[in-house]
Amino acid sequence: MLPASDSINDLDLNAYVDDQLDDWQRLRVEEYLSHQPEAAARVMQDMHLRRELRLAFAPAPEPNGQQRAAAALLSRGLLRDERLRKVIRLVPVAALVLAGWLANEGLGPLSVGEVVASQPPHPVVAAAISAREASIIRLPMRSQPQIHELDADELRAATGILLPQFDRNWAIRDAQIFPSPQGPGIEIVFETGDLGQISHFAVRPGNFAVTLPHVEKHDASNVAWFQIGETAHVLISDKGDTSDLQKVAENLSSSLY
């Protein structure tokens, strides 16, 4: 015969849910619950919640050998695919760099040496020369304000042009947005010391390319130009020789990689 269940209270029900009663006490509570459907429903809900919490915080089972092998195979496959995607993305750039190097070194039918003045300049170079001529007229004018500080982020936001890392010892004489056939460009005039005054013109010509620095002579000016990605850069100087400007152009182009 079961003990009387008329004295069951909430403490007994909570102990039942927490499995803290012996067999006789559990029978006594179950006898009580058989006559109290509302209390039984509440107890069942509490027990269901307790099992959910136990499962939620239970440690994950250790994977077996087959599962470990499958995970390792999947990891190697994902790593191989990621490396392959990186190589595929670099192939066009590498091909363009190689073609530019061959052209710069004078190898093969694509070789480009120092250009004589009688040949028409590259369209980007022609735009840079026009921008430089406008700057030469503008600089002595008192009515035209000059800019001595460069906000590369603001210029990039306005034009989409990424500027290289210029030598910190260069002093900015002026910087202006200059219209060109290729779109808005950035014309910056520097005082460089040994190389004198250098103009840097950057514009987006509308194509993607990687072109190593080319050096040209235009009248009395030395011109070096290159393109990295979607932006072409032109340097113009009237002092020094082409080899000096070549080194400057190579340093600026390498800062964009």
Side-chain angles (χ1 to χ4, degrees), residues 188-209:
I188 310 173
V189 181
F190 295 96
E191 288 292 346
T192 65
D194 293 340
L195 293 177
Q197 192 175 94
I198 288 182
S199 296
H200 173 273
F201 180 74
V203 71
R204 293 163 60 95
N207 67 303
F208 182 95

Side-chain angles (χ1 to χ4, degrees), residues 128-167:
I129 293 174
S130 298
R132 177 179 171 80
E133 291 174 350
S135 295
I136 292 174
I137 297 174
R138 168 187 165 82
L139 284 174
M141 299 177 63
R142 296 182 178 179
S143 62
Q144 299 296 309
Q146 297 179 11
I147 298 173
H148 300 285
E149 294 184 2
L150 191 65
D151 191 335
D153 293 334
E154 183 182 43
L155 291 172
R156 185 178 184 182
T159 63
I161 294 174
L162 176 62
L163 295 174
Q165 297 293 324
F166 298 107
D167 191 325

Side-chain angles (χ1 to χ4, degrees), residues 18 39 56 123 125 152 161 209 219 246 252:
D18 294 335
V125 174
I161 294 174
D219 297 330
Q246 173 84 20
L252 292 180

